[in-house]
Amino acid sequence: MNVQIVSDKLAGGQAGFNVFQQAIDNGAKVLGLATGSTPVTIYEQLVASDLDFSQLTSVNLDEYVGLNADHPQSYHYFMQHHLFNQKPFANSYVPDGSNPDAVVATHQYDQIIAENPIDLQLLGLGQNGHIGFNEPGTDPQSTTHKVALTASTIAANARFFDDAEEVPRYAYSMGIGSILQAKQILIVAYGEAKAAAVAAMIQGPVTPDVPASYLQTHPNVHVILDEAAASQLD
């Protein structure tokens, strides 16, 4: 892993942008994208740049089950707001959270990934070491699958919904095996709350208890951390 330590999220956004620009300059055609607060500063840099995505394809990590693409809390909506409206791609794929048939929805997404091999995959890191919605114990060979969200995730998401009953209980997510197929991986983490997960990811054993630790087995991983997230590294 190539570890880069930056001063803050803004510097991390610029560092992440540089990784994207280099990948595109080197011929990347398919970008794997992520949602959440961590990648926002990277997307801000991409939007502000003169990079042209109109000939490229994007493939997103995950989506809530039960939310339509136009729902304000869907990941499809998030991507439209933070990137796609300003920088349209030739094709942009997000798992179909509106499809209740998990077998069909996950198979279709695996087909999309197979037809669009990912050149650069962007990831955030959960406090428990999860990547995508792959929680501890996930099979490292897993492909796209339906995930039951943890109680803590459901509780954390409740503030975004008017009614607690509206909070999604499941998501469709690329599996760890799907993620590891990407030619290059960029994972970003900020804040002291992520420090233990960062140390386990980089310096701990490769174990299903820390899904991100499987990135140690990948030949091309770039890690961007602020000083707080890197504070438990030796």
Side-chain angles (χ1 to χ4, degrees):
M1 293 183 178
N2 174 32
V3 178
Q4 180 178 5
I5 299 175
V6 297
S7 57
D8 55 26
K9 290 182 179 181
L10 292 179
Q14 181 62 55
F17 168 81
N18 292 341
V19 174
F20 270 81
Q21 184 174 42
Q22 184 177 39
I24 292 167
D25 288 345
N26 290 336
K29 299 297 184 186
V30 182
L31 304 178
L33 302 178
T35 54
S37 60
T38 299
V40 167
T41 56
I42 295 177
Y43 294 152
E44 289 172 349
Q45 293 288 331
L46 292 174
V47 167
S49 76
D50 59 1
L51 288 179
D52 180 11
F53 299 108
S54 63
Q55 302 301 311
L56 304 184
T57 294
S58 67
V59 181
N60 259 74
L61 272 173
D62 41 29
E63 178 60 285
Y64 292 122
V65 174
L67 299 189
N68 294 321
D70 59 357
H71 191 288
Q73 297 305 326
S74 74
Y75 287 168
H76 187 103
Y77 188 96
F78 176 99
M79 294 305 306
Q80 292 288 346
H81 175 71
H82 286 285
L83 185 61
F84 296 157
N85 287 342
Q86 301 92 327
K87 292 284 189 177
F89 285 68
N91 297 286
S92 290
Y93 298 106
V94 180
D96 183 5
S98 67
N99 187 346
D101 190 326
V103 173
V104 172
T106 57
H107 177 72
Q108 287 177 340
Y109 212 64
D110 283 337
Q111 286 295 111
I112 288 170
I113 296 169
E115 294 167 3
N116 299 276
I118 296 169
D119 295 301
L120 172 64
Q121 176 65 60
L122 174 62
L123 300 173
L125 177 67
Q127 292 185 32
N128 64 356
H130 74 241
I131 47 178
F133 275 119
N134 296 289
E135 299 290 345
T138 302
D139 182 349
Q141 305 298 321
S142 58
T143 56
T144 308
H145 57 291
K146 184 178 181 180
V147 181
L149 302 183
T150 63
S152 60
T153 297
I154 294 168
N157 289 342
R159 68 186 188 276
F160 299 121
F161 293 83
D162 294 332
D163 184 344
E165 292 303 312
E166 296 178 8
V167 182
R169 266 55 178 176
Y170 297 91
Y172 294 136
S173 178
M174 279 191 207
I176 297 173
S178 309
I179 291 168
L180 292 176
Q181 290 174 13
K183 294 176 185 174
Q184 181 181 7
I185 294 172
L186 169 62
I187 186 164
V188 185
Y190 304 122
E192 188 175 357
K194 301 290 180 72
V198 166
M201 171 180 73
I202 296 173
Q203 297 178 335
V206 176
T207 169
D209 294 336
V210 182
S213 67
Y214 287 102
L215 298 179
Q216 294 179 34
T217 68
H218 192 281
N220 190 0
V221 178
H222 190 100
V223 185
I224 295 175
L225 310 169
D226 66 0
E227 293 177 1
S231 61
Q232 293 188 29
L233 292 175
D234 295 334

